[in-house]
Amino acid sequence: MSVLSDILLPLVDRLGDGPSAALFGLITGVVFGVAAQRSRFCLRAATVDFARGQLSDRLTIWFLTFSTAVVWVQGAQLLGLMRASDARMMAVPGSWLGAILGGLLFGVGMVLARGCSGRLLVLAATGNLRSVVSGLIFAVVAQMSLSGMLAPLRDRIAGVWVTSGGQNLDLLSALHLPQGAGLAIGLGFAALALGLARHNRIGASRLIFGAGVGFAVALGWVLTFALSSLAFEPVQIESATFTGPSANTLMFFLTRPAVLEFDIGLVPGVVLGAFLAALATREFRFQGFEGTAPLRRAMIGAALMGFGGMLAGGCAIGAGVTGGSIFVGTAWLALFFMWIGAMATDLLLDQRHPLPA
């Protein structure tokens, strides 16, 4: 066992496996919520700015978050605090077609809804009622896609073209890259992010919080990996993602099942962290929809994200940052097509028929 496992052992012995997993999810979520609220992290904003030819502060924050997640996770792996091959999204087959179609749908949806699923969760915690509505629709459609009436369609599409060998593709291994290559790639992205930060004159505080979002992803991986070495029952090694957890959290509060897990703590943790950050900075305020057109677009977008995220195997955070940080093949593909879907939607729709903010 690692030093971290030795430290966590008394806590896990006292609480049990499930409550400990939920607690670790809560901690990860709070860190994510605070950092995302303060940094204004949002993939949708980054893609829109890039589509409009702007190397903006929002694009910078996305690159910073992504790069720091890769650096922290790959560094933790080199220190023996994490093993990517044991992560659930790496250990199970992935769907290439699901990543392509799901990524496209999610990218379209996050532009229509004016935020990805993680951003909607953060905004909802700061009093944005538009995000509350969109987030609930997203969670319901995600649950329908997981085990409801949309599940057969998702399974049929996802089963058309899957990764071989009974597991997902590890990009680093597939490219025969040496140990430490993942860390080097992360540092390269970080250098790009810092160059953009200097260009945009972003303050140190926002940069720290942007990096904090990436740190939250690494924290989830490390904590669940440590728990897996201590638990009596099998524990999924996972981190921040909001498609499956949103569906699971919704059903937990509707049906109150007996099983606690990482997901059940993660989503409330994000809400709590973002809420406290908004209160501390006096940014909490109620906001609603302005007219029916934004409401209709947000509802359609949330539904597309719910199905697309489940089909792709993760949302903009789950696939785009969490899966990307351990170089899951389908996660990188899904992220690429999220960018394509979002940029195309902005080019074809928003730039031609802009709606009021």
Side-chain angles (χ1 to χ4, degrees):
M1 291 191 297
S2 66
V3 174
L4 180 60
S5 297
D6 292 336
I7 296 173
L8 296 176
L9 180 58
L11 175 66
V12 175
D13 284 343
R14 182 170 183 176
L15 295 181
D17 299 346
S20 295
L23 175 62
F24 294 162
L26 180 70
I27 294 170
T28 301
V30 168
V31 174
F32 183 99
V34 171
Q37 196 279 333
R38 298 301 301 129
S39 66
R40 308 289 196 273
F41 170 80
C42 180
L43 177 60
R44 172 258 171 191
T47 57
V48 167
D49 287 350
F50 189 74
R52 300 181 184 191
Q54 302 171 10
L55 300 179
S56 65
D57 60 326
R58 302 190 297 184
L59 180 66
T60 302
I61 293 299
W62 185 87
F63 271 113
L64 180 66
T65 293
F66 180 80
S67 64
T68 52
V70 175
V71 169
W72 280 108
V73 172
Q74 293 299 313
Q77 186 163 236
L78 291 175
L79 293 172
L81 298 174
M82 163 65 186
R83 191 162 54 241
S85 59
D86 292 349
R88 183 179 183 276
M89 65 171 56
M90 188 72 85
V92 299
S95 171
W96 297 115
L97 184 60
I100 294 170
L101 294 181
L104 285 172
L105 290 174
F106 193 96
V108 172
M110 70 180 180
V111 171
L112 294 178
R114 300 186 63 81
C116 69
S117 50
R119 182 62 178 164
L120 292 180
L121 196 59
V122 170
L123 289 176
T126 65
N128 191 312
L129 301 180
R130 294 173 297 178
S131 296
V132 172
V133 173
S134 299
L136 286 173
I137 293 173
F138 168 78
V140 169
V141 175
Q143 177 60 38
M144 293 169 62
S145 305
L146 176 65
S147 57
M149 63 184 299
L150 294 177
L153 175 61
R154 177 183 64 84
D155 290 339
R156 193 174 303 116
I157 296 173
V160 171
W161 183 21
V162 298
T163 56
S164 60
Q167 59 185 13
N168 215 310
L169 178 70
D170 183 335
L171 289 175
L172 297 178
S173 296
L175 296 173
H176 304 290
L177 296 177
Q179 187 179 31
L183 179 60
I185 292 172
L187 290 172
F189 276 112
L192 172 63
L194 292 176
L196 289 172
R198 183 177 180 181
H199 170 76
N200 288 295
R201 298 180 180 179
I202 300 176
S205 175
R206 192 176 178 194
L207 290 177
I208 291 171
F209 282 114
V213 181
F215 174 76
V217 169
L219 182 63
W221 281 129
V222 170
L223 288 175
T224 55
F225 180 77
L227 180 60
S228 70
S229 67
L230 300 173
F232 290 103
E233 299 294 332
V235 171
Q236 291 185 4
I237 300 173
E238 55 190 320
S239 188
T241 184
F242 298 111
T243 309
S246 293
N248 293 337
T249 303
L250 175 67
M251 295 308 296
F252 177 84
F253 286 109
L254 289 177
T255 63
R256 293 190 62 84
V259 178
L260 287 171
E261 54 188 8
F262 183 86
D263 289 1
I264 305 305
L266 177 67
V267 173
V270 173
V271 173
L272 177 61
F275 173 72
L276 293 176
L279 282 183
T281 55
R282 298 182 180 179
E283 294 181 0
F284 182 90
R285 61 182 182 274
F286 289 110
Q287 301 176 62
F289 287 98
E290 298 179 1
T292 58
L295 172 61
R296 182 169 57 251
R297 283 176 47 137
M299 293 174 66
I300 294 172
L304 289 175
M305 282 196 295
F307 182 74
M310 198 62 70
L311 179 60
C315 61
I317 301 298
V321 180
T322 300
S325 69
I326 60 172
F327 291 86
V328 176
T330 58
W332 279 68
L333 184 64
L335 174 61
F336 175 77
F337 278 97
M338 286 177 192
W339 277 79
I340 296 299
M343 291 173 61
T345 304
D346 181 68
L347 288 168
L348 297 175
L349 185 62
D350 280 358
Q351 293 189 36
R352 297 182 180 183
H353 308 286
L355 288 177

